[in-house]
Amino acid sequence: MQLEQPLSEKEFDELDQFLLSDRCSEDAMTMDMLHGYLTAVAIGPEPIMPAEWLPRVWGEDIKDAPKFKNSKEEERIVNLIMRFMNEVLVTFEVAPKEFEPLFVEHDHEGQTLIDAEAWCWGFWDGMELREGSWNEIWDSEVGELMQPIYLLGADEIEEEELKLVEDPVKAHKLAQELEANLPAIHRFWVPRRKPAVQTLKREEPKVGRNDDCPCGSGKKYKKCCGAEPATAAADD
């Protein structure tokens, strides 16, 4: 299946069930946590390769890797995760204002509220992959955009801040603020995002040290442009 293909409802359920199965550790991410994690990786300050971020999906320890039935199943599950990630990337690239975080809904006193806590835990884990690089937005004039993520996702918050997250209605409002803030958080990093490391390709064949120098001097390369400065000076 091509990576550009969004997950179908059936495939979403398949990945969800695998992450919740006994073949994954108790520390494996749930779908909402995974979505938050992938969002942080997708929109953050630096590109991060799957080889680095994928193992954290299964847990914090290398021993948390899933017990796949075979290589075919591993390929299948990894493909689903990569397509899930690609959905996030494409949405932010094409229509960031239409991005919808995968929040959980629950009933509270006759109201349907959203719970963004697990999503924010995942986002926080994603930030920790490049913890220092995120400082720029925290210290910027738009740092307040990150406040809902901090309140709902940080391991520890101030005691007086607990009342903002322990009340389901207030937590619901924080989730709404977070969703509204994400396009601006993405926009902050677009001009600042570091490019992925690229391998430079040599456009012309490498010149051997005993070949004629390509500058046209008639000398051997090692006696001309390829010479150490001191050697070149001595030959002149």
Side-chain angles (χ1 to χ4, degrees), residues 71-83:
S71 59
K72 185 176 180 180
E73 182 185 54
E74 179 177 5
E75 182 180 352
R76 169 67 175 174
I77 295 299
V78 170
N79 178 266
L80 293 178
I81 293 174
M82 295 304 297
R83 286 167 54 202

Side-chain angles (χ1 to χ4, degrees), residues 4-216:
E4 293 77 14
Q5 187 71 29
L7 296 185
S8 65
E9 185 175 340
K10 182 178 179 181
E11 290 170 327
F12 182 96
D13 291 341
E14 178 185 350
L15 180 56
D16 181 29
Q17 290 169 15
F18 180 83
L19 292 172
L20 294 173
S21 73
D22 56 10
R23 283 183 288 141
C24 288
S25 76
E26 293 182 356
D27 292 330
M29 293 183 177
T30 56
M31 288 296 284
D32 50 346
M33 187 176 180
L34 174 60
H35 196 250
Y37 179 68
L38 296 179
T39 303
V41 173
I43 71 174
E46 297 180 28
I48 303 176
M49 296 297 102
E52 182 179 352
W53 61 253
L54 183 60
R56 177 63 188 87
V57 173
W58 315 125
E60 297 183 3
D61 195 293
I62 193 171
K63 293 183 292 186
D64 291 328
K67 299 176 178 64
F68 293 109
K69 292 178 181 178
N70 47 49
S71 59
K72 185 176 180 180
E73 182 185 54
E74 179 177 5
E75 182 180 352
R76 169 67 175 174
I77 295 299
V78 170
N79 178 266
L80 293 178
I81 293 174
M82 295 304 297
R83 286 167 54 202
F84 199 37
M85 170 56 134
N86 202 54
E87 286 183 59
V88 175
L89 289 167
V90 169
T91 303
F92 275 108
E93 182 178 346
V94 176
K97 291 184 179 180
E98 295 181 13
F99 181 77
E100 296 182 6
L102 185 62
F103 296 155
V104 174
E105 292 185 346
H106 65 103
D107 293 327
H108 175 73
E109 297 180 354
Q111 303 179 76
T112 299
L113 303 179
I114 52 178
D115 180 356
E117 193 171 51
W119 191 95
C120 288
W121 291 343
F123 195 98
W124 201 268
D125 280 347
M127 289 196 300
E128 287 183 338
L129 293 176
R130 291 294 184 275
E131 189 171 6
S133 296
W134 282 84
N135 289 342
E136 187 174 355
I137 191 169
W138 289 106
D139 298 336
S140 74
E141 69 282 358
V142 297
E144 62 185 23
L145 295 174
M146 301 292 291
Q147 189 70 359
I149 295 173
Y150 157 71
L151 291 171
L152 294 169
D155 291 334
E156 295 182 8
I157 61 176
E158 300 297 328
E159 188 172 348
E160 61 268 20
E161 295 171 330
L162 289 173
K163 60 185 178 183
L164 298 174
V165 298
E166 291 180 341
D167 181 289
V169 175
K170 291 180 178 179
H172 171 88
K173 291 180 179 178
L174 282 173
Q176 290 178 315
E177 289 178 28
L178 166 57
E179 183 168 357
N181 291 349
L182 282 171
I185 294 172
H186 166 257
R187 190 164 58 249
F188 176 87
W189 287 118
V190 169
R192 297 170 173 84
R193 190 171 173 86
K194 297 179 180 179
V197 177
Q198 295 182 344
T199 302
L200 296 179
K201 183 178 180 181
R202 184 184 297 274
E203 297 297 331
E204 298 177 358
K206 184 177 179 180
V207 180
R209 286 182 55 76
N210 289 315
D211 293 342
D212 292 338
C213 190
C215 75

